[in-house]
Amino acid sequence: MTRYVDEDLHGAEFRECDLTGARLIGVVMPDAVIDGLVTNLVVNGVEVSGYVEAELDRRHPVRRLIRSEEPADLREAARRLHAGWADTIDRIRRTPGIERRSVNDEWSAAQTMRHLVFVHDSWFRRCCLGSTELFTPMGIGPTVEPYREAHGLDLSLDPTLDEIVRVREAQAAELEAWLDEVTAEQLAARAPMPDEDVWPPYARGRSVRRCLGTVLNETFEHHGFCVRDLDLIEESLSS
């Protein structure tokens, strides 16, 4: 394990890094920010992950619905997520062009929604429905090859906000209509993924419920990222 001793890491940024088992001893961390998949985190001898998760559930009750195994809860989760995104899109429309601005090397709001277009096509249509159709061209997928620009994706596209929203509305309607009919038995079944080398390869063997969970979690998490960055952008515009 790499050791950093008496190093000045003031302002350092660790992006998409695997810090499993990392140990920070005797560190000074005022104003530090940790954002990611954090479990079993011990701070000064106290395991704090449970506190963090409980507070996130308090702030965002939809998280509990997303974790539920009950179809009715999952239907309600999808509807709440759709409503949250609708409010954020209304907010974006009040400042034309803000959807193309980004901060801290994160995706813009437009790019975030285009990624969710891809998430729906891959994790819902392929994994939950067994679709073999090409992905929606405007979608933004993983950066790794050969998946970066494959199976119908076209990164040269620059769709307008209205074009992106129309696709996302159609996808939300498709998901909610499916959830209105799906049963607990269908959710527990093995995902009917086509046997092709198309994203997401590591989903093979998972249940339909687990693949649906990825769709709902991605919709929730990326909405949080989008709102966070819109706050920062609007703050900079008003200063």
Side-chain angles (χ1 to χ4, degrees), residues 59-208:
R59 295 184 185 186
H60 309 287
V62 72
R63 282 166 45 96
R64 291 193 178 95
L65 296 174
I66 291 173
R67 294 197 301 268
S68 175
E69 299 296 326
E70 296 298 324
D73 289 341
L74 298 170
R75 286 193 287 271
E76 180 61 20
R79 293 188 179 106
R80 291 191 191 185
L81 293 171
H82 184 194
W85 267 105
D87 289 343
T88 297
I89 290 167
D90 287 341
R91 173 185 180 182
I92 290 170
R93 291 191 188 282
R94 291 195 290 269
T95 309
I98 197 173
E99 72 274 8
R100 299 188 178 280
R101 298 190 59 167
S102 64
V103 292
N104 299 326
D105 296 322
E106 301 288 353
W107 276 335
S108 66
Q111 290 171 315
T112 297
M113 287 186 280
R114 290 176 63 187
H115 176 64
L116 292 178
V117 168
F118 169 80
V119 168
H120 182 91
D121 285 348
S122 56
W123 283 97
F124 177 64
R125 287 183 176 160
R126 268 188 63 79
C127 296
C128 297
L129 303 184
S131 173
T132 58
E133 294 182 5
L134 295 177
F135 296 152
T136 307
M138 72 167 64
I140 296 178
T143 58
V144 296
E145 299 294 352
Y147 305 107
R148 181 173 178 270
E149 195 167 6
H151 206 61
L153 298 180
D154 186 350
L155 298 185
S156 70
L157 296 180
D158 187 22
T160 66
L161 176 62
D162 285 342
E163 289 171 332
I164 300 170
V165 170
R166 278 197 295 271
V167 171
R168 287 297 294 143
E169 285 293 316
Q171 290 181 333
E174 179 181 43
L175 176 61
E176 290 178 26
W178 179 79
L179 284 168
D180 283 340
E181 302 294 334
V182 76
T183 66
E185 291 74 22
Q186 290 171 320
L187 289 171
R190 182 186 177 103
M193 287 184 62
D195 188 17
E196 303 168 341
D197 185 23
V198 177
W199 189 269
Y202 53 88
R204 189 163 288 108
R206 296 187 182 187
S207 67
V208 171

